Amino acid sequence: MKISKFNSEQELKKEIYKHFKEFKVFKQTAFYVDKGACMYYDLSPAKKPHLLALKEKYYPFLRRNCCKNKDKKVAVISLGCGNAGKEKDIFGRFYKDGFNFKLFGVDSSEGMIELAEKNLSESKFDYKLLCADFSKEDFIKKLKHELADFDVKVYAFLGCTFGNVEQDYMADILYDMLEKGDKLWMEVAVRSEINEKGDMLLFERYLKYLDQDVRRDFYFRPLKEIGIPYENGEMFLSMIKEENLNDLKFIFRFKILKKTVVCFDGRTVTLLPGTIVDLITIRVYDADGLVNFFEERNFKFIAKECNGVGQFLFEK
């Protein structure tokens, strides 16, 4: 197996629980530990026709904007690679066309890395899977050492995962991770209308997620794991406009309605009525706002292509 582990699932869960005890917020990694990885792909829309058609645009976008020379040795670092389904399709095509590259898939969830290994096991191109929290300084140092011999390095955020995390914090992590000339390739959801009508259509779209039992169970799973009954509260959706990005931030939250006391990881946590626990976060971006956000952090904008879901390419 082409897997290197920098953290264990148990270590990851300890960090998740510690964060929850302090802030009453779940890190986004909480949803993909244990059975969460498989549950996520049970509700993933990746096989919908319009998204399958969109995948055909990834290859020409990269070919046109950053992978022009087949003589260059290219490293593609997929951050939060999940099951590497998209990577398998995209870079299988690069392999067939004679490119000299290696895929590095990085994910903190052992379950996701195992799914990625299963997905990529018959791929002919060179790859390595890294079970790691890529925000950790020691991992960044080891990764840079491993990438030292590559001519071109492309860091990828596929599956709209960038929108799940704290934006300023992650942008700073990326700036420290990338070296001068490295590329940052991102896939994000993009606002088709920058007006109140468009905002409400998006809100109504995500609000319908609460009517889907499988999706609601996935969102609630971290609370269930620590012993909180669903009947002790209610799940709801908030929409926030973030001025620095001009994006819409959708947060699925759980409001405690009945005093709840749980004990886990050796600690007691008391949740009183009115306590709100943040669960999954989704962002939908204004294309110009996202470009400006990264330009203000000294990334050079290279290219974009938007059609509901957008591709963006930056260079440090």
Side-chain angles (χ1 to χ4, degrees), residues 277-293:
V277 179
D278 286 357
L279 302 172
I280 285 281
T281 296
I282 298 171
R283 284 180 173 86
V284 184
Y285 294 88
D286 166 39
D288 292 337
L290 183 65
V291 169
N292 181 68
F293 177 80

Side-chain angles (χ1 to χ4, degrees), residues 81-137:
C81 67
N83 72 354
K86 289 182 179 179
E87 291 85 344
K88 178 183 178 180
D89 293 343
I90 297 164
F91 297 105
R93 189 169 173 185
F94 271 91
Y95 174 81
K96 288 179 181 178
D97 284 356
F99 281 88
N100 179 15
F101 74 94
K102 183 172 182 177
L103 172 67
F104 294 85
V106 185
D107 206 294
S108 60
S109 164
E110 286 185 19
M112 286 296 190
I113 288 294
E114 289 168 3
L115 289 175
E117 169 62 18
K118 184 177 180 181
N119 235 343
L120 296 174
S121 60
E122 296 183 6
S123 297
K124 295 182 179 180
F125 60 79
D126 194 12
Y127 70 89
K128 185 173 184 178
L129 298 171
L130 307 170
C131 185
D133 179 347
F134 62 80
S135 68
K136 301 291 186 182
E137 187 176 347

Side-chain angles (χ1 to χ4, degrees), residues 52-99:
L52 290 172
L54 179 66
K55 286 167 68 173
E56 294 299 315
K57 297 183 178 182
Y58 296 140
Y59 177 82
F61 182 82
L62 284 181
R63 282 282 281 114
R64 186 168 61 249
N65 294 302
C66 68
C67 297
K68 300 176 182 179
N69 191 339
K70 294 183 181 181
D71 295 329
K72 298 287 187 180
K73 189 178 180 183
V74 180
V76 179
I77 308 95
S78 181
L79 303 173
C81 67
N83 72 354
K86 289 182 179 179
E87 291 85 344
K88 178 183 178 180
D89 293 343
I90 297 164
F91 297 105
R93 189 169 173 185
F94 271 91
Y95 174 81
K96 288 179 181 178
D97 284 356
F99 281 88

Side-chain angles (χ1 to χ4, degrees), residues 124-309:
K124 295 182 179 180
F125 60 79
D126 194 12
Y127 70 89
K128 185 173 184 178
L129 298 171
L130 307 170
C131 185
D133 179 347
F134 62 80
S135 68
K136 301 291 186 182
E137 187 176 347
D138 59 339
F139 173 73
I140 293 174
K141 288 179 180 178
K142 291 175 183 177
L143 181 63
K144 285 185 176 182
H145 178 75
E146 188 148 6
L147 300 176
D149 294 334
F150 288 88
D151 302 309
V152 178
K153 287 166 280 185
V154 181
Y155 289 80
F157 250 122
L158 300 178
C160 300
T161 52
F162 180 72
N164 301 141
V165 297
E166 202 284 314
Q167 303 290 272
D168 292 312
Y169 171 73
M170 186 52 62
D172 289 340
I173 292 292
L174 291 170
Y175 191 82
D176 288 340
M177 182 180 290
L178 274 66
E179 297 179 333
K180 186 176 181 180
D182 290 352
K183 306 294 192 299
L184 174 62
W185 174 40
M186 305 178 66
E187 176 193 30
V188 301
V190 176
R191 298 169 70 184
S192 57
E193 297 180 58
I194 312 297
N195 54 44
E196 187 174 343
K197 178 185 176 183
D199 295 350
M200 288 311 301
L201 286 173
L202 283 169
F203 181 80
E204 290 168 6
R205 169 189 167 189
Y206 289 119
L207 188 62
K208 290 178 181 177
Y209 284 7
L210 294 178
D211 296 329
Q212 302 172 21
D213 291 343
V214 175
R215 193 177 293 272
R216 193 172 59 247
D217 289 347
F218 175 71
Y219 293 167
F220 186 71
R221 197 181 70 85
L223 287 171
K224 183 179 180 180
E225 288 290 313
I226 62 174
I228 297 177
Y230 191 86
E231 57 268 22
N232 281 22
E234 61 181 7
M235 196 177 296
F236 67 100
L237 176 65
S238 293
M239 180 175 74
I240 301 168
K241 182 178 178 182
E242 296 181 303
E243 297 297 333
N244 61 335
L245 279 152
N246 197 34
D247 69 314
L248 296 178
K249 178 181 178 182
F250 297 92
I251 311 173
F252 289 90
R253 292 169 156 161
F254 191 79
K255 183 176 182 180
I256 299 295
L257 300 178
K258 178 181 178 182
K259 180 181 175 180
T260 304
V261 180
V262 291
C263 298
F264 62 92
D265 201 29
R267 295 284 298 276
T268 299
V269 176
T270 301
L271 302 171
L272 299 178
T275 300
I276 293 176
V277 179
D278 286 357
L279 302 172
I280 285 281
T281 296
I282 298 171
R283 284 180 173 86
V284 184
Y285 294 88
D286 166 39
D288 292 337
L290 183 65
V291 169
N292 181 68
F293 177 80
F294 277 98
E295 287 184 330
E296 288 290 333
R297 286 158 177 77
N298 295 318
F299 284 89
K300 179 183 177 183
F301 170 66
I302 303 296
K304 68 180 178 182
E305 187 174 286
C306 299
N307 184 19
V309 176

